[in-house]
Amino acid sequence: DIQMTQSPSSVSASVGDRVTITCRASQDISGWLAWYQQKPGKAPKSLIYAASSLQSGVPSRFSGSGSGTDFSLTISSLQPEDFATYYCQQAYSFPLTFGGGTKVEI
Amino acid sequence: EVQLVESGGGLVKPGGSLRLSCAASGFNFKTYSMLWVRQAPGKGLEWVSSISPTSDYIHQPDSVKGRFSISRDNADNSLYLQMNTLRADDTAVYYCARLRGSYPDFWGQGTQVIVSS
């Protein structure tokens, strides 16, 4: 199974900050990576697929990059509604696996 | 508008069974692969099962293989998860999601499953 490791597990930030979350795969997954946002008590929301493609309706302050084993999600200017937990997920092979999550908090 | 509405969750004893449903609307259901993902209390996301549009391809992790069965009814725009021999560590919120290509793009609101005596 491909292991997905996110860092940091939590990050404290302020409105307007630039925030970067990283995700590392235990083997080469090319660009087969997605990012999700989840707020407490809510379903995950899809943000990015194929490492860097924005899902429809997702604000442009979110961006994804990387390939192979190292990936990142960047929020260019943190907004109040962005405080949430973020997960990466590899879609390269079954079993599909998620990172452990990164909580973005004040 | 794409909508996915899960139902069928509840409290069940260890060893028991439960059948979850996911009602889809707002898109051509029969052309999309679908999947189930769960989240244990305070934990991360775990993929549970995937099914292709015509049910030709089904994938599951070893943790549920032989106990859980995914199916769909394209005439009824519905996705199902039959869960047997339930264990305490199956306690979670279960989400259905639509796959666009290889990636989930829309998620339901989830249904809670509690396995406890």
Side-chain angles (χ1 to χ4, degrees):
Chain A
D1 298 3
I2 299 174
Q3 308 303 317
M4 306 300 294
T5 303
Q6 285 182 236
S7 61
S9 55
S10 66
V11 57
S12 293
S14 301
V15 173
D17 284 353
R18 180 182 181 91
V19 173
T20 296
I21 298 166
T22 63
C23 179
R24 175 164 288 177
S26 61
Q27 66 184 72
D28 189 340
I29 60 169
S30 187
W32 293 91
L33 186 99
W35 289 96
Y36 307 94
Q37 176 194 67
Q38 188 179 34
K39 297 180 180 179
K42 299 295 186 182
K45 175 186 176 183
S46 299
L47 297 177
I48 286 171
Y49 65 98
S52 60
S53 296
L54 232 56
Q55 289 283 1
S56 176
V58 173
S60 58
R61 63 180 180 273
F62 290 93
S63 64
S65 65
S67 67
T69 60
D70 294 315
F71 301 85
S72 63
L73 171 71
T74 297
I75 309 171
S76 60
S77 178
L78 201 64
Q79 298 302 299
E81 60 268 29
D82 300 336
F83 291 95
T85 299
Y86 294 83
Y87 294 93
C88 63
Q89 177 240 321
Q90 64 84 14
Y92 180 79
S93 67
F94 291 106
L96 306 179
T97 47
F98 292 84
T102 296
K103 187 174 184 179
V104 177
E105 53 194 352
I106 300 172
Chain B
E1 180 194 3
V2 173
Q3 285 202 329
L4 297 169
V5 180
E6 301 94 335
S7 60
L11 175 64
V12 61
K13 289 181 168 51
S17 298
L18 215 51
R19 189 194 197 204
L20 306 183
S21 300
C22 173
S25 61
F27 65 101
N28 193 357
F29 179 75
K30 65 183 179 184
T31 66
Y32 285 85
S33 292
M34 301 290 295
L35 79 165
W36 290 95
V37 170
R38 68 183 179 183
Q39 187 169 36
K43 302 296 185 183
L45 302 169
E46 180 188 14
W47 165 70
V48 173
S49 290
S50 299
I51 188 168
S52 62
T54 54
S55 305
D56 292 345
Y57 298 100
I58 289 173
H59 295 94
Q60 297 177 312
D62 289 344
S63 58
V64 305
K65 208 169 282 186
R67 299 189 302 123
F68 290 11
S69 176
I70 188 173
S71 62
R72 62 191 296 161
D73 183 343
N74 287 342
D76 202 30
N77 293 338
S78 294
L79 176 72
Y80 302 102
L81 186 68
Q82 177 67 44
M83 304 186 296
N84 299 327
T85 319
L86 283 160
R87 313 185 303 221
D89 62 357
D90 294 318
T91 294
V93 175
Y94 285 73
Y95 298 100
C96 69
R98 185 181 81 169
L99 275 169
R100 195 183 87 170
S102 299
Y103 301 96
D105 62 350
F106 281 98
W107 300 66
Q109 86 288 349
T111 187
Q112 175 80 59
V113 172
I114 299 172
V115 184
S116 174
S117 54

